[in-house]
Amino acid sequence: GLSPKTFVPITGIIALALSVGYTFVVWDRIPFATSNLMTGLSGVRANAGAVIVSFFFQGLALLWSIYFTFVVIGVYDAIESGELELTDNMKIFVYTMLAISYYWTYHVLMNVVQVAVAGTIGDWWFRPAGTEAICDGTVLRNLFLACTLSFGSICFGSLVVGPVRFIRQLSFFIRPSTDNDSVLMGLHECLLWIQTCIANCVDGMASYFNSWAFTYVGLYGYGLLDGGSHATELFEKRGWTMIVADDLIPNVLLMVSLVIGGVTGCFGFMLETVDNLNFTNVGDPGAAAFLIGIAVGLVVCSVLFGIISSSVNAVIVCFAGNPVEFEKCHPEGDRA
């Protein structure tokens, strides 16, 4: 069967091929993404405390993952061994609630970092070059705001934004097409109307519930709905809708996260094989250790990489709304 010993080389070769192909596809978009990345990292370097905050929340994500692993394994063993008798519907409900709990908490931790970093980059954007201080209160102030006044928006968005994004991706398969010259014009018009209504409804939700809303929450202190709406209006006014839809940097970070997840999965499998830790009493302990390692690796590095993606998003929003201020305060970075 498929084991980590064969799974890792196969997936490594596939990942390499996909990475090379993806590089050729996005080659013309790399300079723009590089410029945004360098500017965002300049802001992070000027506020090194943001890195400490990111590491702190990475540690929280690791502790949460370890705790959740013990909870899930305990529940699974209790159900499968008969100690906890549940109907099939209740089993589905329990596992679903556990998955939602883990997903929600993970995104709350990641989005707290995103909001705090966005606020920090915003302060740096309007601050003249040379006046930065590594250990000033900018990062702590923005972290405090993210964990207090903006925490409700972060929790709300952490639960909703991901599913809305997924639904919008699915909606592209049913969006209306005017190229269909069907002889059944009445049926075709009816289907076209239904497709249009669904697409408009999904786009309406996405205009409020999007990842850019967290950037606005951090930069300007808006609520989630107001932040998403203002971000959508800003990009439409600038004609940047296609530009901000470019997920080059998040995709690269995702590929790196997958590699790290594979490495941690192999490490978990090695621990199970060498030390015979018995992650679970039911099923295949080696496979369980491998899957747990992948999940923990993905979550932990995603929280850490959040500082990169959030700084880039903040740079894009600030440049779209206030390009002149950056030229005044950071002339060297503007020329670069």
Side-chain angles (χ1 to χ4, degrees):
L2 186 63
S3 67
K5 294 180 180 178
T6 57
F7 176 79
V8 173
I10 293 174
T11 54
I13 295 173
I14 295 175
L16 177 61
L18 292 176
S19 300
V20 173
Y22 184 71
T23 301
F24 284 106
V25 171
V26 302
W27 189 263
D28 58 332
R29 306 205 302 265
I30 291 178
F32 178 74
T34 302
S35 177
N36 292 328
L37 178 61
M38 295 303 296
T39 304
L41 293 180
S42 297
V44 172
R45 284 196 298 268
N47 299 272
V51 179
I52 299 175
V53 170
S54 182
F55 275 114
F56 174 74
F57 279 89
Q58 184 189 34
L60 290 181
L62 178 60
L63 293 176
W64 168 244
S65 298
I66 294 173
Y67 169 77
F68 188 83
T69 298
F70 282 107
V71 171
V72 172
I73 291 177
V75 172
Y76 177 79
D77 285 344
I79 292 176
E80 296 300 322
S81 63
E83 297 180 12
L84 184 61
E85 297 182 358
L86 297 176
T87 62
D88 291 339
N89 290 334
M90 281 301 299
K91 290 180 182 178
I92 295 174
F93 176 77
V94 169
Y95 288 134
T96 301
M97 290 298 103
L98 287 173
I100 292 176
S101 173
Y102 187 72
Y103 168 87
W104 196 0
T105 305
Y106 153 62
H107 278 275
V108 167
L109 295 175
M110 187 171 63
N111 289 324
V112 166
V113 174
Q114 179 172 345
V115 170
V117 172
T120 302
I121 296 297
D123 291 339
W124 169 80
W125 188 272
F126 296 97
R127 184 190 306 158
T131 62
E132 300 94 346
I134 300 275
C135 297
D136 66 0
T138 301
V139 177
L140 290 178
R141 182 177 68 253
N142 285 285
L143 177 61
F144 176 78
L145 292 175
C147 294
T148 53
L149 298 179
S150 301
F151 194 68
S153 297
I154 293 172
C155 292
F156 182 35
S158 298
L159 182 64
V160 179
V161 168
V164 170
R165 182 188 304 163
F166 179 72
I167 293 173
R168 192 182 190 195
Q169 292 294 329
L170 294 180
S171 70
F172 285 107
F173 296 102
I174 61 171
R175 289 184 180 272
S177 174
T178 57
D179 298 332
N180 188 4
D181 296 329
S182 175
V183 293
L184 302 175
M185 293 303 297
L187 179 60
H188 174 64
E189 291 296 330
C190 181
L191 292 176
L192 183 64
W193 180 80
I194 294 175
Q195 290 175 323
T196 303
C197 289
I198 294 176
N200 290 338
C201 180
V202 172
D203 289 341
M205 289 191 299
S207 66
Y208 290 97
F209 301 105
N210 54 73
S211 59
W212 300 98
F214 295 110
T215 304
Y216 255 80
V217 170
L219 286 172
Y220 305 113
Y222 286 123
L224 182 78
L225 297 178
D226 291 336
S229 176
H230 281 82
T232 302
E233 292 176 2
L234 174 65
F235 295 140
E236 289 179 350
K237 183 185 298 183
R238 288 287 186 180
W240 284 20
T241 305
M242 294 301 297
I243 294 177
V244 299
D246 181 15
D247 292 331
L248 176 56
I249 293 178
N251 287 340
V252 172
L253 295 176
L254 175 61
M255 287 189 286
V256 176
S257 299
L258 291 174
V259 172
I260 295 176
V263 172
T264 54
C266 293
F267 182 72
F269 178 77
M270 290 172 56
L271 284 178
E272 169 62 31
T273 303
V274 174
D275 295 336
N276 195 22
L277 296 177
N278 290 327
F279 281 93
T280 176
N281 296 324
V282 182
D284 186 357
F290 182 63
L291 294 176
I292 291 171
I294 290 179
V296 172
L298 282 173
V299 168
V300 171
C301 66
S302 295
V303 173
L304 181 62
F305 288 159
I307 190 175
I308 300 175
S309 58
S310 59
S311 64
V312 171
N313 288 349
V315 165
I316 292 175
V317 171
C318 289
F319 187 74
N322 305 278
V324 177
E325 281 73 7
F326 182 71
E327 182 180 359
K328 292 180 180 178
C329 297
H330 306 276
E332 295 182 359
D334 183 70
R335 288 194 296 270

